[in-house]
Amino acid sequence: MAIELLCRKIGMTQIFDEAGDAIGVTVLDAAPNSVVQKKSVEKDGYTSLQLGFGERRPSRTPKGQLGHFEKAGVAPKRVLAESRVSPEVAAAYEVGAEIPVSIFEVGQAVDAIGQSRGRGTAGVVKRHNVAVKRKTHGTHEAFRHSGSIGAGSYPGRVIKGMVMAGRFGNDRITSLNLKVVKVDADRNLIYLRGAVPGHKNAIVRLRPSVKARH
């Protein structure tokens, strides 16, 4: 029940810590999120904050959304997303307020939620790491095939969960327990140790870790 800050993935780089070790980090553009709408238990049945991220020209914004933004007193935003929060957290913010990246601190464990890159239709080797058959005598065109998928007489069907070829990627992925290495409040940047799902310029939602190791 914490705020999920909307960020834009810039890419990966490396920085050096105090010991001189290189650390691979993902850089996120965490420009301030604007509170566009508040929802309450009395009116909506649950408590949440609707956050807006990224600038958008009014001429490229639908008229219905323009009225929504004007009512909140904020400039049109490119991305709108709800963040389910507790009533105590919602009470700390008013419509039109901005939530900066400074809500996170160095050393904090966070979760990054994003949409993984789509790979299209992929085979079992790429999709499920199935072993490639030996390219020796007797093996012909089935080097990267899945092979047998079940017995014929009994059970006479394909067991559920059998790994097969199909659509790969383009799924909602949550990377847990990523460590915040650096927070640059002046440039609205946050550096996370490790990889974050999504392509460059993808939208990533950042929240305090729900399974932080103590």
Side-chain angles (χ1 to χ4, degrees):
M1 302 293 286
I3 292 177
E4 294 181 353
L5 196 71
L6 297 173
C7 308
R8 180 179 64 89
K9 180 178 177 179
I10 297 177
M12 293 197 70
T13 184
Q14 65 178 14
I15 61 176
F16 296 90
D17 59 9
E18 294 79 4
D21 298 327
I23 302 174
V25 295
T26 301
V27 186
L28 301 178
D29 174 16
N33 288 195
S34 298
V35 179
V36 182
Q37 185 181 7
K38 290 178 65 174
K39 295 192 176 183
S40 61
V41 177
E42 296 77 13
K43 186 176 180 180
D44 305 286
Y46 65 97
T47 307
S48 71
L49 295 176
Q50 187 185 65
L51 304 180
F53 174 79
E55 299 300 328
R56 190 177 191 180
R57 285 184 292 173
S59 60
R60 294 292 184 266
T61 306
K63 289 186 178 180
Q65 290 189 11
L66 273 177
H68 183 61
F69 291 122
E70 290 175 358
K71 182 179 178 181
V74 299
K77 300 297 179 182
R78 184 170 297 275
V79 180
L80 282 176
E82 276 194 13
S83 181
R84 296 286 290 265
V85 296
S86 63
E88 294 77 18
V89 175
Y93 298 96
E94 296 297 331
V95 174
E98 291 190 339
I99 304 177
V101 68
S102 57
I103 63 173
F104 299 105
E105 57 186 14
V106 175
Q108 183 179 358
V110 297
D111 298 337
I113 306 169
Q115 198 79 3
S116 63
R117 291 182 296 171
R119 274 85 169 180
T121 303
V124 290
V125 174
K126 182 176 182 179
R127 191 181 186 207
H128 297 292
N129 296 319
V130 173
V132 178
K133 295 178 178 60
R134 297 179 63 185
K135 298 179 180 180
T136 181
H137 303 290
T139 305
H140 287 279
E141 293 81 18
F143 302 112
R144 297 175 67 91
H145 289 196
S146 60
S148 173
I149 59 173
S153 58
Y154 181 80
R157 59 186 175 85
V158 178
I159 303 298
K160 290 183 179 180
M162 180 67 64
V163 295
M164 293 184 178
R167 184 180 64 83
F168 183 37
N170 193 29
D171 292 320
R172 177 187 165 105
I173 303 295
T174 301
S175 296
L176 301 174
N177 291 326
L178 299 178
K179 182 181 178 181
V180 177
V181 179
K182 182 180 178 181
V183 176
D184 190 344
D186 295 332
R187 297 192 295 169
N188 297 318
L189 299 178
I190 185 169
Y191 298 72
L192 304 181
R193 180 165 188 159
V196 169
H199 55 80
K200 291 183 179 179
N201 295 320
I203 298 299
V204 179
R205 302 175 69 156
L206 210 60
R207 71 184 182 198
S209 178
V210 297
K211 297 182 179 179
R213 301 184 183 94
H214 297 288

